[in-house]
Amino acid sequence: MIDKPTARLKRKLILAKGAIAFEGLWTALYPALMVAGLALLLVLIGVPALLPVSLKTAAAVLFGVAFVAALWPLRRLRWPDDAAALRRIEIRSGLKNRPATAWQDKLAEPQADPASRAIWMVHKRRMAEYLKSLKAGWPHSGLPARDPIALRSALVLGLIVAGFLNWGQWDRRLSEAVSAPVKASVAAGFDAWITPPAYTGKPPILLSGAVAEARLARTRQLHVPQGSLLVVRLNGAAQPVLTMAEPGAAGASDEDAAQTARSQDIPKSRDSAVHEVRTKLNETVTVSLADRGDTLARWRITVIPDAAPSAEVAGELALTPTGGFAVPWKASDDYGIAGLEAHFRLAGDDTGQLFADALKYDPPQSAISLQKLNPREADGRAFMDFTAHPWAGTKVELQLEVRDQAGQKGFSAPVRLTLPARNFSKLLARAVVEQRRQLVLRPDDRQVVVRTLAALMAWPDELFTKSAHYLGLRMAASRLYRA
């Protein structure tokens, strides 16, 4: 029967051997665990998914070789013997004189004298008391000596963070790491819409999506204002082509209809894999979108022409007491008037002859104010005063010019009138103004004007009240004579 101290010592020896074996195994597995942990960290953060197949395979082989090489220290592992276990127990217990080893000692002479046997028994009882406090101790890691900068801690922290961020996606990450990417043939996706000009106030028209397709199935045809912008944007396309076919004339052959179609390759946007094209719609067309010969969509688009604006003089012109005149007017446009002006040009004399040699003065013109911004219809009265213009008192033609927001212009029918001039009460002033008008309209007949001015200066006492007026008129006549 085994006594209690011996049984206790055997239990401590088993624990000590297990602790020593675990410490050796942990130390030997450390390099392999670091390699495996690094590989797992790269998988969790998605690095393999970014690599081509060749690099992914090379990395897998490299990590495999490194893992096998890191397992090499395992070949030196052995199960600890009793001596190593006893040394661990005595060191961890902190006992002096090695009581565990001493307990296993035997009396040199089993048939010794009674005194020697008594001393031996006292020694055994003392050692048995020491055995009650034996400790095998918990396994102690030797990694701090092999990893003084604690790379293992950084790796564990990285694995914890990557695992938390990829919670629920570990299977997908592992699948990406061990599987090769499969290039599936995916149909190109596209977005298309038409943006009418801003001045029309029309909303954009979507051409892609379930709602747009349902609407197009009902209407079969789209109506958009002239100048609308068609935008097509494709993702995942290989060779997208946009074809715009104009409607052929009645009875036209298929060959003639094909000649009216215009095709263009849709280029990629700069710094992007997206194909995009923008084109203005100024005529009715059938638009087809295709990629690699497959038709993705077809739209029949009817363009609503933007009519030119119109304007008219809506009544008789009325003179004002100050020498000006009022012009009643009306104007309209399908999307809104941008501006309205009144322009004048010389109309000719009573015989219908135009004043082709008239002095080149800027013709009078006047901007007409609108009561509100960009009205579709407007009317009013414009008041003008050109009594100071050299054309005052001559026959002119008035024409209204109206502009819409697309830059188109419309003109009213011309109206002939005598441009109102200032009324002078003094005879000399009337005569000078009349000669100025003749000089402006017929500069080649300036000698007639000179003789008329000389006749005015023949009796200065009757016409001139100030000598300055006489001298000024005389100087003007002299310069005109020498011109």
Side-chain angles (χ1 to χ4, degrees), residues 98-159:
R98 302 177 65 189
T101 303
W103 176 261
Q104 293 184 332
D105 292 341
K106 295 181 179 180
L107 192 63
E109 297 181 2
Q111 303 299 326
D113 58 279
S116 296
R117 293 178 62 82
I119 294 173
W120 177 253
M121 293 303 296
V122 172
H123 170 71
K124 294 288 284 185
R125 286 193 296 270
R126 186 181 299 167
M127 293 300 103
E129 292 295 329
Y130 285 138
L131 292 181
K132 293 179 180 179
S133 60
L134 291 181
K135 298 177 182 178
W138 290 98
H140 178 72
S141 173
L143 297 183
R146 300 195 61 182
D147 183 17
I149 60 175
L151 291 177
R152 61 192 184 281
S153 300
L155 179 60
V156 171
L157 180 61
L159 287 173

Side-chain angles (χ1 to χ4, degrees), residues 398-472:
L398 163 65
Q399 192 170 38
L400 300 180
E401 177 188 300
V402 59
R403 301 186 313 278
D404 64 9
Q405 298 178 80
Q408 300 182 103
K409 296 181 179 180
F411 299 91
S412 67
V415 176
R416 291 176 63 95
L417 72 151
T418 299
L419 197 63
R422 180 181 174 184
N423 292 321
F424 292 94
S425 58
K426 295 185 178 181
L427 297 178
L428 178 61
R430 292 181 185 177
V432 171
V433 169
E434 177 63 26
Q435 296 308 306
R436 185 190 71 166
R437 185 182 307 114
Q438 292 299 325
L439 185 61
V440 168
L441 299 179
R442 297 181 178 86
D444 292 339
D445 295 342
R446 59 183 177 276
Q447 295 302 326
V448 176
V449 177
V450 170
R451 288 194 295 270
T452 303
L453 295 179
L456 292 175
M457 291 184 292
W459 294 277
D461 294 339
E462 299 295 333
L463 294 176
F464 296 93
T465 58
K466 294 183 179 180
S467 58
H469 296 167
Y470 176 80
L471 294 176

Side-chain angles (χ1 to χ4, degrees), residues 269-467:
S269 301
R270 182 177 298 179
D271 301 330
S272 174
V274 177
H275 295 259
E276 181 175 332
V277 65
R278 295 169 178 261
T279 183
K280 277 196 173 183
L281 302 173
N282 291 316
E283 54 193 358
T284 299
V285 292
T286 298
V287 181
S288 299
L289 179 63
D291 182 36
R292 289 174 289 196
D294 297 332
T295 301
L296 302 179
R298 179 178 285 110
W299 307 289
R300 297 180 61 190
I301 303 174
T302 299
V303 173
I304 303 174
D306 185 0
S310 61
E312 62 174 322
V313 177
E316 297 292 333
L317 279 61
L319 295 177
T320 63
T322 59
F325 58 99
V327 180
W329 57 269
K330 287 184 179 180
S332 62
D333 183 67
D334 45 4
Y335 293 115
I337 303 168
L340 181 64
E341 293 181 350
H343 295 271
F344 296 84
R345 62 175 179 267
L346 291 173
D349 56 13
D350 294 335
T351 62
Q353 181 181 0
L354 295 178
F355 300 103
D357 298 329
L359 296 180
K360 304 302 181 182
Y361 284 97
D362 292 334
Q365 62 181 16
S366 175
I368 299 176
S369 300
L370 303 174
Q371 296 180 355
K372 61 180 181 178
L373 184 64
N374 302 326
R376 294 193 176 189
E377 294 184 354
D379 56 13
R381 292 168 61 87
F383 293 90
M384 307 174 192
D385 187 349
F386 297 111
T387 55
H389 196 274
W391 288 6
T394 61
K395 294 185 180 296
V396 295
E397 287 186 350
L398 163 65
Q399 192 170 38
L400 300 180
E401 177 188 300
V402 59
R403 301 186 313 278
D404 64 9
Q405 298 178 80
Q408 300 182 103
K409 296 181 179 180
F411 299 91
S412 67
V415 176
R416 291 176 63 95
L417 72 151
T418 299
L419 197 63
R422 180 181 174 184
N423 292 321
F424 292 94
S425 58
K426 295 185 178 181
L427 297 178
L428 178 61
R430 292 181 185 177
V432 171
V433 169
E434 177 63 26
Q435 296 308 306
R436 185 190 71 166
R437 185 182 307 114
Q438 292 299 325
L439 185 61
V440 168
L441 299 179
R442 297 181 178 86
D444 292 339
D445 295 342
R446 59 183 177 276
Q447 295 302 326
V448 176
V449 177
V450 170
R451 288 194 295 270
T452 303
L453 295 179
L456 292 175
M457 291 184 292
W459 294 277
D461 294 339
E462 299 295 333
L463 294 176
F464 296 93
T465 58
K466 294 183 179 180
S467 58

